[in-house]
Amino acid sequence: MFMSDPVLFAFSLLDTGAVLFLLVITLSDLECDYLNAQQCCSKLNLWVVPKLAAQCLTTLILLLHAHWVLALFNFPMTFYLAYE
């Protein structure tokens, strides 16, 4: 279950980067008029649950590895995504 710190941070970086990449691609399609606003919103709404799951997983892994400060910085975003 426990992984080394470099693997943990690489996973966190790739996890966050993948979600950010998908959201930016969708928003750039809206900007270039490939999508209208309704299509963009429906595509973005598909990513709400995976985004929350990725954030919760990252926070949980940080807690399990005793990176308290990093987990503390991730809590506000996790709570905001759950509220959203």
Side-chain angles (χ1 to χ4, degrees):
M1 174 70 190
F2 290 102
M3 56 183 97
S4 65
D5 283 346
V7 174
L8 169 70
F9 295 134
F11 171 76
S12 297
L13 181 67
L14 290 175
D15 182 36
T16 305
V19 172
L20 183 63
F21 175 75
L22 291 169
L23 296 177
V24 166
I25 292 296
T26 304
L27 289 175
S28 70
D29 286 348
L30 175 65
E31 183 182 33
C32 294
D33 289 335
Y34 297 134
L35 296 173
N36 63 28
Q38 186 177 7
Q39 289 173 328
C40 182
C41 286
S42 66
K43 285 182 99 175
L44 288 175
N45 284 340
L46 292 175
W47 293 106
V48 170
V49 174
K51 189 169 53 168
L52 175 63
Q55 183 67 32
C56 288
L57 180 65
T58 301
T59 305
L60 179 67
I61 290 173
L62 287 171
L63 283 173
L64 290 175
H65 286 275
H67 292 285
W68 310 116
V69 175
L70 293 175
L72 186 66
F73 285 133
N74 277 297
F75 276 134
M77 188 59 168
T78 304
F79 291 137
Y80 174 75
L81 290 174
Y83 173 75
E84 183 181 55

